[in-house]
């Protein structure tokens, strides 16, 4: 599947210090330690509606991760999927009378445009599930050979009893997991399952639903295993960061981690499980099912996309926050100040500023702290007329671009 275009990232003097991130599975901030190539997988959209600000918050967070790694001298191997066949997509297509493939293609194209406008650096591989059904079926067959699956009515399930590390990513107890499983696409009450938390790997063909020929018979993949298969194919086990929104902690990342462990014997499947917070509107989490959405495409039609990006940067990536229109107005004022300051012929020295921005971002992506550092420089530059360093405005413009993704 085609990804989107990348912008040139300015090369900054020196290098970033090592990035520290919150690892959900460890319940603490730890230092990342990638090799020459840092490997990251971020779970993509189910394209049954337009990209909303909650999506942007997630992909923006992991864009910052990649930018910090690149600034530290690593090559970044980033893979993302698109769940271009799944129940919510099929349900929306049926409701609207639109062919499900056309709906997916339309929304993925809009997503590409939104990501490009926000200057989110693209993944090396952008993979649609419909492109890899055979590989997913191969992985399920591999899991079956390990003795961790069973068949129920033609469907293939992973047996949670054969997942010794299950629960270690989320840290949730069984009651929490069962509740969330029911809310987030699971089927704890299905008759015949060995355990309520056993999860679907392969859905046998149903009348009127898309299906593919495979070594498992005709059908389609379950949700969690698709990401496991794609990550294994492109990144291998033990990759550096598995990312997504905090609503993916359970069951998605929990199940995927156990699938990867069963398939490879390696634990953890990803070294870090890192999650972005939820964005709310009108007192509730922004979600397609609730319809309380702020669409990125509409925001960027009405406002500079860099102001939209500054709205995201003003919140710590792990925080839950609520969107109100004043946030975009405040971001536009900040953007105007920064652009005015970096348009000056000279400004306060910025060598120390670069080090302080790097320090803030290396500390679990403290983007609000990084903004405060640049705000202080811009205020001083505008107050003093830019004396004494003629190289400072260009350096600030480059660091805003390279580290924060903001084009001034």
């Amino acid at each position: 599947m085609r990804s989107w275009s990348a912008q040139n990232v300015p090369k900054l003097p020196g290098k970033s210090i090592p990035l520290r991130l919150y690892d959900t599975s460890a319940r603490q901030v730890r230092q990342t330690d990638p090799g020459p190539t840092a490997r990251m997988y971020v779970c993509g959209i189910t394209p049954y509606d337009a990209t909303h600000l909650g999506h942007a918050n997630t992909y923006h967070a992991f864009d910052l991760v990649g930018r910090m790694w690149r600034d530290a001298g690593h090559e970044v191997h980033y893979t993302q999927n698109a769940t271009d066949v799944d129940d919510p997509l099929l349900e929306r297509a049926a409701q609207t009378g639109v062919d499900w493939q056309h709906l997916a293609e339309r929304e993925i194209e809009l997503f590409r445009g939104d990501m490009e406008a926000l200057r989110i650096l693209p993944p090396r591989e952008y993979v649609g599930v419909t492109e890899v059904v055979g590989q997913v079926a191969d992985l399920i067959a591999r899991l079956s050979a390990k003795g961790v699956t069973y068949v129920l009515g033609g469907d293939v399930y992973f047996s949670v009893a054969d997942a010794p590390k299950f629960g270690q990513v989320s840290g949730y107890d069984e009651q929490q997991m069962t509740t969330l499983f029911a809310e987030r696409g699971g089927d704890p009450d299905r008759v015949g399952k060995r355990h309520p938390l056993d999860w679907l790997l392969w859905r046998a063909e149903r009348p009127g639903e898309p299906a593919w020929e495979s070594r498992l018979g005709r059908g389609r993949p379950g949700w969690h295993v698709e990401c496991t298969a794609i990550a294994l194919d492109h990144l291998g086990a033990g990759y550096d960061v598995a990312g997504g929104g905090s609503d993916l902690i359970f069951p998605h990342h929990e199940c995927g981690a156990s699938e990867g462990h069963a398939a490879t014997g390696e634990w953890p499947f990803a070294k870090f499980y890192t999650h972005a917070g939820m964005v709310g509107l009108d007192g509730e989490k922004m979600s397609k099912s609730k319809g309380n959405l702020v669409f990125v495409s509409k925001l960027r039609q009405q406002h500079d996309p860099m102001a939209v990006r500054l709205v995201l940067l003003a919140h710590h990536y792990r925080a839950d926050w609520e969107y109100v229109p004043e946030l975009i107005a405040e971001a536009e004022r900040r953007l105007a100040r920064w652009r005015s300051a970096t348009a000056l012929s000279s400004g306060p020295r910025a060598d120390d500023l670069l080090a302080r921005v790097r320090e803030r971002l290396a500390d679990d992506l403290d983007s609000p702290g990084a903004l405060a550092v640049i705000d202080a420089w811009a205020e001083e530059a505008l107050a003093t007329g830019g004396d004494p360093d003629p190289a400072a405005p260009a350096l600030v413009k480059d660091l805003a671009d390279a580290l924060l993704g903001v084009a001034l």
Side-chain angles (χ1 to χ4, degrees):
M1 180 179 287
R2 179 176 61 83
S3 189
W4 55 92
S5 300
Q7 299 82 19
N8 291 326
V9 178
K11 177 67 177 173
L12 300 174
K15 288 184 177 181
S16 279
I17 59 178
L19 173 64
R20 300 173 71 244
L21 279 178
Y22 186 82
D23 177 11
T24 300
S25 60
R27 317 318 165 223
Q28 63 179 333
V29 175
R30 301 193 294 117
Q31 182 174 305
T32 64
D33 187 26
T37 298
R39 297 173 294 158
M40 177 168 62
Y41 184 93
V42 180
C43 300
I45 62 168
T46 301
Y48 62 92
D49 210 337
T51 316
H52 59 71
L53 204 57
H55 293 135
N57 190 57
T58 293
Y59 301 114
H60 169 263
F62 295 98
D63 184 60
L64 294 181
V65 172
R67 287 173 182 274
M68 287 298 290
W69 277 338
R70 289 180 177 88
D71 188 52
H74 301 283
E75 183 180 350
V76 177
H77 187 169
Y78 170 29
T79 302
Q80 185 182 137
N81 75 305
T83 304
D84 57 350
V85 60
D86 200 14
D87 291 345
L89 173 65
L90 300 177
E91 290 164 6
R92 179 61 60 85
Q95 290 167 3
T96 58
V98 176
D99 177 78
W100 67 271
Q101 292 170 301
H102 176 73
L103 175 61
E105 289 169 3
R106 184 185 73 195
E107 298 307 332
I108 288 170
E109 183 58 28
L110 184 57
F111 176 76
R112 290 188 188 104
D114 289 338
M115 295 297 99
E116 193 168 322
L118 293 178
R119 307 186 82 250
I120 306 295
L121 296 174
R124 183 185 298 185
E125 296 95 11
Y126 187 43
V127 185
V129 173
T130 57
E131 299 175 309
V132 294
V133 172
Q135 290 98 305
V136 177
D138 288 345
L139 174 59
I140 296 169
R142 183 174 164 188
L143 292 170
S144 296
K146 300 275 188 178
V148 298
T149 72
Y150 63 93
V151 178
L152 177 62
D155 300 334
V156 182
Y157 278 85
F158 194 108
S159 173
V160 74
D162 295 306
K165 303 291 187 181
F166 192 78
Q168 291 194 16
V169 171
S170 65
Y172 299 159
D173 61 33
E174 187 167 321
Q175 182 176 350
Q176 286 176 290
M177 289 191 285
T178 302
T179 299
L180 290 172
F181 194 59
E183 293 174 354
R184 297 174 178 174
D187 55 357
D189 299 325
R190 181 174 181 182
V191 175
K193 287 176 59 175
R194 296 177 183 174
H195 190 283
L197 291 174
D198 293 345
W199 64 92
L200 184 71
L201 297 173
W202 183 260
R203 180 177 171 88
E205 183 176 19
R206 265 70 161 175
E209 292 188 4
W212 288 259
E213 295 287 353
S214 80
R215 60 192 299 176
L216 305 173
R218 285 184 60 81
R220 58 183 169 92
W223 175 30
H224 315 302
V225 72
E226 69 188 52
C227 287
T228 306
I230 295 168
L232 272 175
D233 283 350
H234 293 285
L235 302 174
Y239 60 95
D240 293 288
V241 168
S246 60
D247 55 346
L248 297 187
I249 295 172
F250 190 89
H252 191 59
H253 281 159
E254 191 75 74
C255 295
S258 285
E259 291 163 353
H261 183 217
T264 67
E266 185 163 342
W267 185 268
F269 183 52
K271 295 176 184 175
F272 279 71
Y273 286 87
T274 299
H275 299 94
M278 297 289 102
V279 180
L281 181 70
D282 300 328
E284 292 189 282
K285 183 192 88 168
M286 202 173 289
S287 71
K288 293 175 180 177
S289 61
K290 293 187 174 80
N292 59 337
L293 303 176
V294 176
F295 292 118
V296 172
S297 54
K298 291 185 178 179
L299 271 182
R300 64 184 177 90
Q301 288 172 5
Q302 300 165 356
H303 306 278
D304 191 312
M306 294 301 92
V308 179
R309 181 146 187 152
L310 282 169
V311 169
L312 303 174
L313 285 161
H315 300 86
H316 190 270
Y317 80 97
R318 285 196 284 123
D320 295 335
W321 52 279
E322 185 162 346
Y323 178 78
V324 293
E326 176 54 29
L327 291 175
I328 193 74
E330 181 181 340
E332 288 180 319
R333 292 191 291 268
R334 172 176 272 139
L335 183 63
R337 288 196 305 272
W338 286 15
R339 284 178 170 164
S340 295
T342 55
L344 297 171
S345 58
S346 62
R349 293 195 64 84
D351 298 350
D352 180 61
L353 180 142
L354 173 57
R356 286 185 289 137
V357 170
R358 281 172 164 157
E359 179 184 351
R360 287 296 83 232
L361 291 175
D363 184 12
D364 196 27
L365 303 178
D366 177 15
S367 57
L371 297 190
V373 172
I374 300 176
D375 282 342
W377 179 89
E379 289 173 11
E380 184 179 355
L382 293 170
T384 62
D387 185 50
D389 184 1
L395 178 58
V396 173
K397 181 180 277 191
D398 281 351
L399 76 86
D401 187 342
L403 299 180
L404 300 177
V406 177
L408 298 177

